DNA sequence: ACCTGAACACCGTTCAAGT
DNA sequence: ACCTGAACACCGTTCAAGT
């Protein structure tokens, strides 16, 4: 609060005229991010070419927002949701409604739509949180080391990690996201046809 | 620090004899949780009936630890990792080494093993973080409401959410975890056979 | 070797007082 | 209506001093 006050050229105490407290302010930040997803033209674009197309565009939209705000996304992902049916990062009644409608219009049963919503949010959370945290890490890999050690000797007990450390450090987040998303959509399609 | 001191019947300042600071203390907590995974007999059990059996047991072991420590697991999931090749929640050189060895012994190529490690961690992170945070939420669904409103009127603009809110609130985390894990193993098997 | 007291530089928040 | 000063109850951390 004090820092934000400074940033606005005002004393911290003035903020309490406009906002009940720190927690509500953080909630508002999260809400702003969620709104940003809602305004993405790539996601909202009216002609939906099937539910797969819709979920593809939604997933990519959420990913863009996450990458645009790497510092804030963990908040979107982990603030306690307002209700049990709001799962991060799709923690918004409008999104859940749109999501369910879109799938039901294409013949999903109630249970299939709900289970797709669950699988979809788990997927987004895992991939985007990991991607975003890797971004924020900007960790010189030297942080692991004790004072005298170098990387090779400290990795000596772990030959495979040492041998593959280049491969392990590569960033394949974009293609991984794509492939896992593809796979998720296939799984959802399967559940759809099972229960319909 | 002050609260922990109280808990130990000592002044906060005494803690600095034993620990460099707050951050290192949190790191130690995370390390303790990771060690707990290592000691789970269900996971370590020597006769491994193939890599699928190993990954199944590992996933369930991590899940057990996460559910045993719902308050601490978010820390395991989101503390900045020590190196780019340590992905939460499997953020431990010993685990990565074991993981890679196990898969290579069963004919995985280097790339297939690394990509399996990535997919596996994303999966665990998404599912367990969501499950654990739903646990900690214990949210009376009334928190969403303004003072005068009741649930039905506040959900009125979202008919599908309203209609399906019972289904949306049900907890299916256990079966979802199982099914998604199954699906993940199938995908990993596919990648394995493609690149070998 | 281990602990303590006093102190420093921070927080978020309340409230009476200013314009 | 909006902002401020002083104050309160907290933090983590340093350091000289105690046993």
């Amino acid at each position: 609060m004090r820092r934000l006050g400074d940033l606005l050229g005002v004393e911290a105490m003035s903020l309490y005229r406009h906002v009940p407290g720190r927690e509500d302010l953080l909630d508002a930040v999260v809400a702003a991010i969620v709104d940003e997803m809602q305004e993405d033209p790539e996601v909202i674009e009216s002609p939906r070419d099937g539910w797969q197309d819709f979920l593809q565009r939604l997933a990519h939209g959420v990913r863009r927002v996450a990458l645009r705000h790497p510092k804030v996304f963990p908040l979107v992902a982990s603030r306690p949701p307002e209700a049990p049916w709001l799962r991060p990062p799709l923690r918004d009644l409008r999104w859940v409604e749109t999501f369910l409608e879109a799938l039901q219009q294409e013949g999903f049963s109630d249970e299939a739509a709900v289970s797709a919503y669950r699988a979809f949010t788990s997927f987004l959370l895992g991939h985007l949180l990991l991607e975003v945290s890797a971004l924020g890490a900007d960790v010189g890999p030297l942080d692991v080391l004790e004072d005298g050690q170098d990387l090779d000797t400290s990795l000596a007990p772990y030959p495979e990690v040492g041998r593959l450390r280049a491969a392990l450090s590569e960033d394949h987040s974009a293609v991984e996201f794509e492939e896992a998303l593809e796979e998720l959509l296939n799984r959802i399609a399967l559940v759809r046809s099972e229960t319909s």
Side-chain angles (χ1 to χ4, degrees), chain A:
Chain A
M1 304 303 277
R2 291 175 126 107
R3 225 146 43 203
L4 177 59
D6 267 23
L7 214 74
L8 300 174
V10 101
E11 300 297 313
M13 310 79 209
S14 315
L15 300 174
Y16 290 85
R17 279 289 131 183
H18 306 93
V19 142
R22 196 189 112 104
E23 291 305 298
D24 306 78
L25 208 119
L26 292 178
D27 284 342
V29 170
V30 169
I33 299 280
V34 170
D35 284 349
E36 209 178 304
M37 288 165 41
Q38 228 99 16
E39 287 151 14
D40 190 323
E42 298 273 334
V43 177
I44 298 302
E45 231 166 35
S46 29
R48 275 183 214 150
D49 189 9
W51 61 269
Q52 327 228 15
D53 172 60
F54 169 62
L55 291 190
Q56 281 266 6
R57 288 214 312 267
L58 178 52
H60 287 122
V62 176
R63 179 161 183 264
R64 275 193 296 274
V65 173
L67 294 179
R68 210 150 46 220
H69 308 285
K71 294 270 174 55
V72 188
F73 186 75
L75 237 56
V76 181
S78 57
R79 289 232 107 203
E82 289 184 329
W85 50 76
L86 294 178
R87 293 165 57 109
L90 246 48
R91 49 191 312 152
D92 185 287
L93 278 171
R94 293 167 295 172
W95 269 129
V96 182
E97 184 70 16
T98 312
F99 189 102
L100 295 174
E101 271 176 8
L103 267 59
Q104 284 168 341
Q105 272 175 22
E106 308 228 15
F108 278 67
S109 69
D110 288 353
E111 309 83 59
V114 169
S115 122
Y117 167 63
R118 292 212 181 93
F120 195 70
T121 46
S122 289
F123 162 80
L124 287 177
L125 194 66
H127 279 268
L128 297 183
L129 214 51
L130 222 35
E131 188 168 357
V132 152
S133 85
L135 225 79
D138 61 16
V139 63
L142 307 163
D143 302 19
V144 215
L145 306 177
E146 305 293 317
D147 277 339
Q149 288 180 310
D150 73 342
L151 191 57
D152 287 313
T153 61
S154 86
L155 283 184
Y158 311 103
E160 289 309 313
V161 178
R163 196 169 65 79
L164 297 177
R165 72 168 183 263
L168 282 165
S169 307
E170 283 170 25
D171 178 23
H172 291 146
S173 22
V175 295
E176 275 167 42
F177 187 82
E178 236 52 59
E179 290 172 2
L181 176 56
E182 193 77 27
E183 193 62 29
L184 175 70
L185 295 185
N186 289 342
R187 180 149 60 98
I188 292 178
L190 212 78
V191 173
R192 179 180 107 104
S193 61
E194 274 171 6
T195 65
S196 72

